[in-house]
CSV table of all heavy atoms in Angstrom, one decimal:
chain,number,residue,atom,x,y,z
A,2,ASN,N,22.3,25.2,-13.5
A,2,ASN,CA,23.7,24.8,-13.2
A,2,ASN,C,24.7,25.3,-14.2
A,2,ASN,O,25.7,25.9,-13.9
A,2,ASN,CB,23.8,23.4,-13.1
A,2,ASN,CG,23.5,23.0,-11.6
A,2,ASN,OD1,24.1,23.3,-10.6
A,2,ASN,ND2,22.2,22.3,-11.5
A,5,HIS,N,25.5,28.9,-13.5
A,5,HIS,CA,26.5,29.1,-12.4
A,5,HIS,C,27.8,28.9,-13.0
A,5,HIS,O,28.8,29.7,-12.6
A,5,HIS,CB,26.2,28.3,-11.3
A,5,HIS,CG,24.8,28.7,-10.4
A,5,HIS,ND1,24.2,27.9,-9.8
A,5,HIS,CD2,24.3,30.0,-10.6
A,5,HIS,CE1,23.2,28.6,-9.3
A,5,HIS,NE2,23.2,29.8,-9.8
A,8,GLN,N,28.8,31.9,-14.9
A,8,GLN,CA,29.0,32.9,-14.1
A,8,GLN,C,30.5,33.0,-13.5
A,8,GLN,O,31.1,33.9,-13.6
A,8,GLN,CB,28.1,32.7,-12.8
A,8,GLN,CG,27.4,34.0,-12.4
A,8,GLN,CD,26.5,33.8,-11.3
A,8,GLN,OE1,26.6,32.7,-10.6
A,8,GLN,NE2,25.4,34.5,-11.2
A,18,ASP,N,28.5,37.1,-3.7
A,18,ASP,CA,28.0,35.7,-4.2
A,18,ASP,C,28.8,34.6,-3.4
A,18,ASP,O,28.3,33.6,-3.3
A,18,ASP,CB,28.2,35.8,-5.7
A,18,ASP,CG,27.0,36.4,-6.3
A,18,ASP,OD1,26.0,36.9,-5.6
A,18,ASP,OD2,27.0,36.5,-7.6
A,22,GLN,N,27.3,31.7,-1.5
A,22,GLN,CA,27.5,30.3,-1.6
A,22,GLN,C,27.8,29.5,-0.3
A,22,GLN,O,27.4,28.5,-0.1
A,22,GLN,CB,28.7,30.1,-2.6
A,22,GLN,CG,29.0,28.7,-3.0
A,22,GLN,CD,27.9,28.1,-3.7
A,22,GLN,OE1,27.1,28.7,-4.3
A,22,GLN,NE2,27.8,26.7,-3.5
A,36,VAL,N,18.0,16.4,9.6
A,36,VAL,CA,17.0,15.5,9.1
A,36,VAL,C,17.6,14.1,9.2
A,36,VAL,O,16.8,13.2,9.7
A,36,VAL,CB,16.6,15.8,7.7
A,36,VAL,CG1,15.8,14.7,7.1
A,36,VAL,CG2,16.0,17.1,7.5
A,123,ILE,N,-18.9,16.7,-7.6
A,123,ILE,CA,-19.4,15.7,-6.5
A,123,ILE,C,-18.1,15.2,-5.8
A,123,ILE,O,-18.0,15.1,-4.6
A,123,ILE,CB,-20.2,14.7,-7.0
A,123,ILE,CG1,-21.6,15.1,-7.4
A,123,ILE,CG2,-20.3,13.5,-6.1
A,123,ILE,CD1,-22.5,14.1,-8.0
A,155,LEU,N,-12.5,-0.8,2.1
A,155,LEU,CA,-13.4,0.1,1.4
A,155,LEU,C,-13.5,1.6,1.9
A,155,LEU,O,-13.6,2.5,1.0
A,155,LEU,CB,-14.8,-0.6,1.6
A,155,LEU,CG,-14.9,-1.9,0.7
A,155,LEU,CD1,-16.3,-2.5,0.7
A,155,LEU,CD2,-14.5,-1.7,-0.7
A,161,THR,N,-9.4,11.6,-3.0
A,161,THR,CA,-9.7,12.4,-4.0
A,161,THR,C,-8.6,13.2,-4.6
A,161,THR,O,-8.5,13.4,-5.8
A,161,THR,CB,-10.8,13.5,-3.5
A,161,THR,OG1,-11.9,12.8,-2.9
A,161,THR,CG2,-11.2,14.5,-4.6
A,190,ASP,N,-14.7,2.8,-26.1
A,190,ASP,CA,-14.1,3.5,-24.8
A,190,ASP,C,-13.3,2.6,-23.9
A,190,ASP,O,-12.2,3.0,-23.5
A,190,ASP,CB,-15.3,4.2,-24.2
A,190,ASP,CG,-15.8,5.4,-24.9
A,190,ASP,OD1,-14.9,6.0,-25.5
A,190,ASP,OD2,-16.9,5.7,-24.8
A,237,GLN,N,0.7,-1.5,12.5
A,237,GLN,CA,0.8,-0.2,13.3
A,237,GLN,C,0.2,-0.3,14.5
A,237,GLN,O,0.6,0.4,15.6
A,237,GLN,CB,0.3,0.9,12.4
A,237,GLN,CG,0.9,1.1,10.9
A,237,GLN,CD,2.4,1.5,11.2
A,237,GLN,OE1,2.8,2.0,12.1
A,237,GLN,NE2,3.2,1.1,10.2
A,284,TYR,N,10.1,3.7,-2.2
A,284,TYR,CA,10.3,5.1,-2.9
A,284,TYR,C,11.4,5.0,-4.2
A,284,TYR,O,11.0,5.4,-5.2
A,284,TYR,CB,10.6,6.1,-2.0
A,284,TYR,CG,10.9,7.4,-2.6
A,284,TYR,CD1,9.9,8.0,-3.4
A,284,TYR,CD2,12.2,7.9,-2.7
A,284,TYR,CE1,10.1,9.2,-4.1
A,284,TYR,CE2,12.5,9.0,-3.5
A,284,TYR,CZ,11.5,9.6,-4.1
A,284,TYR,OH,11.7,10.7,-4.8
A,296,MET,N,4.6,15.4,-10.9
A,296,MET,CA,4.8,16.8,-11.2
A,296,MET,C,3.8,17.4,-12.2
A,296,MET,O,3.2,18.4,-12.1
A,296,MET,CB,6.2,17.1,-11.9
A,296,MET,CG,7.3,16.4,-11.1
A,296,MET,SD,7.6,17.3,-9.5
A,296,MET,CE,8.9,16.5,-8.9
B,24,GLN,N,-20.1,3.4,-21.9
B,24,GLN,CA,-19.0,2.6,-21.4
B,24,GLN,C,-18.2,3.6,-20.4
B,24,GLN,O,-17.9,3.1,-19.2
B,24,GLN,CB,-18.0,2.2,-22.5
B,24,GLN,CG,-18.6,1.1,-23.3
B,24,GLN,CD,-17.7,0.6,-24.3
B,24,GLN,OE1,-17.0,1.4,-24.9
B,24,GLN,NE2,-17.8,-0.7,-24.6
B,35,TRP,N,-19.3,4.6,-4.8
B,35,TRP,CA,-18.4,4.7,-3.5
B,35,TRP,C,-18.5,6.1,-3.0
B,35,TRP,O,-18.6,6.2,-1.7
B,35,TRP,CB,-16.9,4.4,-4.0
B,35,TRP,CG,-16.0,4.5,-2.7
B,35,TRP,CD1,-15.8,3.5,-2.0
B,35,TRP,CD2,-15.5,5.6,-2.3
B,35,TRP,NE1,-14.9,3.8,-1.0
B,35,TRP,CE2,-14.7,5.2,-1.1
B,35,TRP,CE3,-15.3,6.9,-2.7
B,35,TRP,CZ2,-13.9,6.1,-0.4
B,35,TRP,CZ3,-14.4,7.9,-2.0
B,35,TRP,CH2,-13.7,7.3,-0.9
B,36,TYR,N,-18.4,7.1,-3.8
B,36,TYR,CA,-18.5,8.5,-3.3
B,36,TYR,C,-19.9,8.8,-2.4
B,36,TYR,O,-19.8,9.4,-1.4
B,36,TYR,CB,-18.3,9.5,-4.4
B,36,TYR,CG,-16.9,10.0,-4.6
B,36,TYR,CD1,-16.2,9.6,-5.8
B,36,TYR,CD2,-16.2,10.8,-3.6
B,36,TYR,CE1,-14.9,10.0,-5.9
B,36,TYR,CE2,-14.9,11.2,-3.8
B,36,TYR,CZ,-14.3,10.8,-4.9
B,36,TYR,OH,-13.0,11.1,-5.1
B,41,TYR,N,-21.1,10.8,0.9
B,41,TYR,CA,-22.3,11.7,1.1
B,41,TYR,C,-23.3,11.1,2.0
B,41,TYR,O,-23.9,11.9,2.8
B,41,TYR,CB,-22.9,11.9,-0.4
B,41,TYR,CG,-22.1,12.9,-1.2
B,41,TYR,CD1,-21.0,12.5,-1.9
B,41,TYR,CD2,-22.5,14.2,-1.1
B,41,TYR,CE1,-20.4,13.5,-2.6
B,41,TYR,CE2,-21.8,15.2,-1.7
B,41,TYR,CZ,-20.7,14.7,-2.5
B,41,TYR,OH,-20.0,15.7,-3.2
B,115,ASN,N,25.1,23.9,-6.1
B,115,ASN,CA,25.7,23.7,-7.4
B,115,ASN,C,26.0,22.2,-7.7
B,115,ASN,O,25.9,21.8,-8.9
B,115,ASN,CB,27.0,24.5,-7.5
B,115,ASN,CG,26.7,25.9,-7.5
B,115,ASN,OD1,25.6,26.4,-7.9
B,115,ASN,ND2,27.7,26.7,-7.1
B,120,ARG,N,22.9,17.6,-4.0
B,120,ARG,CA,21.5,18.0,-4.0
B,120,ARG,C,20.6,16.8,-4.1
B,120,ARG,O,19.5,16.7,-3.3
B,120,ARG,CB,21.2,18.9,-5.2
B,120,ARG,CG,19.8,19.4,-5.4
B,120,ARG,CD,19.5,20.4,-6.3
B,120,ARG,NE,20.4,20.4,-7.5
B,120,ARG,CZ,20.2,21.0,-8.7
B,120,ARG,NH1,19.0,21.5,-9.0
B,120,ARG,NH2,21.1,21.0,-9.6
B,125,ASN,N,16.8,13.4,-1.3
B,125,ASN,CA,16.2,12.2,-1.0
B,125,ASN,C,16.2,11.8,0.5
B,125,ASN,O,15.2,11.1,1.0
B,125,ASN,CB,17.0,11.0,-1.7
B,125,ASN,CG,16.6,11.0,-3.2
B,125,ASN,OD1,15.5,11.1,-3.5
B,125,ASN,ND2,17.6,10.8,-4.1
B,128,TYR,N,13.2,13.2,2.1
B,128,TYR,CA,11.9,12.4,1.7
B,128,TYR,C,11.7,11.4,2.8
B,128,TYR,O,10.6,11.0,3.0
B,128,TYR,CB,12.0,11.7,0.4
B,128,TYR,CG,12.0,12.7,-0.8
B,128,TYR,CD1,12.3,12.2,-2.0
B,128,TYR,CD2,11.5,14.0,-0.7
B,128,TYR,CE1,12.3,13.0,-3.2
B,128,TYR,CE2,11.4,14.7,-1.8
B,128,TYR,CZ,11.9,14.4,-3.0
B,128,TYR,OH,11.8,15.1,-4.1
B,132,PHE,N,7.8,8.7,4.8
B,132,PHE,CA,7.3,7.4,4.7
B,132,PHE,C,7.1,6.7,6.0
B,132,PHE,O,6.6,5.7,6.1
B,132,PHE,CB,8.3,6.6,3.8
B,132,PHE,CG,8.2,7.2,2.4
B,132,PHE,CD1,9.4,7.9,1.8
B,132,PHE,CD2,7.2,6.8,1.6
B,132,PHE,CE1,9.2,8.5,0.7
B,132,PHE,CE2,7.1,7.1,0.3
B,132,PHE,CZ,8.1,8.2,-0.2
B,134,SER,N,5.5,5.8,9.5
B,134,SER,CA,4.1,6.0,9.9
B,134,SER,C,4.1,7.0,11.3
B,134,SER,O,5.2,7.2,11.8
B,134,SER,CB,3.5,4.6,10.4
B,134,SER,OG,4.1,4.2,11.5
B,184,TRP,N,9.8,18.1,10.6
B,184,TRP,CA,10.8,17.2,10.2
B,184,TRP,C,10.4,16.1,9.2
B,184,TRP,O,11.0,15.7,8.3
B,184,TRP,CB,11.5,16.5,11.5
B,184,TRP,CG,12.4,15.3,11.3
B,184,TRP,CD1,13.7,15.5,11.0
B,184,TRP,CD2,12.1,14.0,11.4
B,184,TRP,NE1,14.3,14.3,10.9
B,184,TRP,CE2,13.4,13.3,11.1
B,184,TRP,CE3,11.1,13.2,11.6
B,184,TRP,CZ2,13.5,11.9,11.0
B,184,TRP,CZ3,11.2,11.9,11.5
B,184,TRP,CH2,12.4,11.1,11.4
B,196,ALA,N,9.6,21.4,-8.3
B,196,ALA,CA,9.0,21.3,-9.5
B,196,ALA,C,8.8,22.5,-10.2
B,196,ALA,O,9.0,22.9,-11.3
B,196,ALA,CB,7.8,20.4,-9.6
B,216,ARG,N,23.2,36.7,-6.4
B,216,ARG,CA,22.4,35.5,-6.5
B,216,ARG,C,21.1,35.6,-5.5
B,216,ARG,O,20.2,35.2,-5.7
B,216,ARG,CB,23.3,34.4,-6.0
B,216,ARG,CG,24.2,33.9,-7.2
B,216,ARG,CD,25.1,32.8,-6.8
B,216,ARG,NE,24.5,31.5,-6.4
B,216,ARG,CZ,25.0,30.5,-5.9
B,216,ARG,NH1,26.3,30.5,-5.8
B,216,ARG,NH2,24.3,29.5,-5.7
B,219,LYS,N,18.6,37.4,-7.3
B,219,LYS,CA,17.9,36.5,-8.3
B,219,LYS,C,16.9,35.7,-7.6
B,219,LYS,O,15.7,35.4,-8.1
B,219,LYS,CB,18.9,35.6,-9.0
B,219,LYS,CG,19.5,36.2,-10.2
B,219,LYS,CD,20.5,35.4,-10.9
B,219,LYS,CE,21.9,35.9,-10.7
B,219,LYS,NZ,22.8,34.9,-11.2
Side-chain angles (χ1 to χ4, degrees):
Chain A
N2 279 292
H5 290 153
Q8 223 173 27
D18 277 356
Q22 182 64 27
V36 176
I123 288 174
L155 293 182
T161 303
D190 289 323
Q237 300 298 333
Y284 177 67
M296 304 292 182
Chain B
Q24 291 178 325
W35 181 87
Y36 268 110
Y41 283 84
N115 291 335
R120 182 173 15 164
N125 283 322
Y128 291 161
F132 293 98
S134 72
W184 177 76
R216 285 177 67 184
K219 274 184 251 174

